[in-house]
Amino acid sequence: MRTCKQFVSKGLLAALAAGLFMACNGNKAGNNAPASTPAAGTNAPAAGFKIAYVDLDSLEAHFEYFKQKKSELEQKQQGMDNQLKAKARALQAEYQDLQRKASTLTQEQGESAQRSLMAKQQQLEQEAQNMRAEYAQNETKFNEELQKRLDDFLKSFNSDKRYSYIFSYRTGQSNILYADPAFDVTADVIKGMNEKGAEAPAAK
């Protein structure tokens, strides 16, 4: 799925390893409710080669844990942006104040004030760089956790091995040129993952 910008910028979020969660791109317009699919409780493996797919747009739109965590990450990013903007405005105000006072300062005082401003600017740039690194780290952790949750769920979902492959699908961003709704298991995946709620994924 993807925070997201972007991240979530904001795409949220970077594409996940299996491509089943991508950075916050926006939800698919129209009806996101996937078509009904075979019940997940069948114990006997189905005969022959069977595949299924998960609609990523619908999953992002209806997986409550993803939406919650994506919102938290975006709020954290907004807080960082606001903090940096406030400090930048303060630095700009200090620079303008120095310009107004320039004619009253000695050369030594003016040079000292300029050095102080340059040091503060460098400090702010370093702080912005650190915040970007922290955000990227949080985003990576977020994506890895979501991927782990999906991987664990699909192992359980397909424990009867009725599907040989489960692909991801996103309108306009998929190598799948045609997807028969009869093989859409998104509804089951969304229902199952929402039922698991905020449970922590199993340790590797």
Side-chain angles (χ1 to χ4, degrees):
M1 294 183 181
R2 231 149 88 48
T3 210
C4 5
K5 241 176 182 171
Q6 19 264 56
F7 10 114
V8 194
S9 272
K10 302 184 176 177
L12 110 129
L13 296 164
L16 301 182
L20 289 173
F21 281 104
M22 303 178 69
C24 313
N25 281 332
N27 297 331
K28 179 175 63 177
N31 181 14
N32 283 324
S36 59
T37 57
T42 305
N43 294 321
F49 180 86
K50 294 186 66 176
I51 63 173
Y53 69 90
V54 175
D55 187 313
L56 301 185
D57 294 311
S58 291
L59 186 59
E60 291 175 1
H62 299 291
F63 181 27
E64 295 302 327
Y65 183 79
F66 168 79
K67 292 193 294 182
Q68 173 192 341
K69 292 301 180 180
K70 171 185 169 182
S71 176
E72 291 175 2
L73 193 57
E74 289 176 336
Q75 289 175 13
K76 182 174 292 186
Q77 181 188 37
Q78 187 62 55
M80 290 179 176
D81 289 344
N82 291 341
Q83 183 177 348
L84 290 175
K85 288 177 181 177
K87 291 186 177 183
R89 286 193 297 268
L91 188 61
Q92 178 67 20
E94 189 173 346
Y95 172 74
Q96 292 173 345
D97 185 57
L98 176 61
Q99 286 184 314
R100 287 191 294 269
K101 296 178 179 178
S103 61
T104 66
L105 301 176
T106 65
Q107 181 177 350
E108 182 179 356
Q109 288 175 328
E111 290 175 351
S112 176
Q114 288 182 353
R115 287 194 296 270
S116 177
L117 283 174
M118 290 182 62
K120 290 179 180 180
Q121 180 178 352
Q122 291 175 353
Q123 182 179 357
L124 182 58
E125 290 173 352
Q126 182 62 51
E127 187 173 352
Q129 182 177 344
N130 292 343
M131 284 186 175
R132 287 193 294 268
E134 179 184 352
Y135 180 82
Q137 191 174 44
N138 290 338
E139 183 181 22
T140 296
K141 182 179 179 181
F142 172 60
N143 288 338
E144 289 176 348
E145 180 190 355
L146 290 173
Q147 186 64 60
K148 182 70 169 73
R149 284 175 178 271
L150 184 59
D151 289 346
D152 289 347
F153 176 78
L154 290 179
K155 287 178 183 177
S156 174
F157 176 78
N158 200 43
S159 59
D160 54 11
K161 301 191 182 301
R162 65 202 139 127
Y163 298 116
S164 300
Y165 290 94
I166 299 179
F167 294 99
S168 63
Y169 177 80
R170 186 189 294 278
T171 303
Q173 299 181 26
S174 174
N175 291 326
I176 300 175
L177 300 180
Y178 172 76
D180 188 336
F183 299 98
D184 186 352
V185 298
T186 313
D188 289 336
V189 172
I190 291 172
K191 181 176 183 294
M193 294 189 75
N194 279 334
E195 287 176 350
K196 290 180 71 67
E199 294 178 17
K204 293 182 180 179

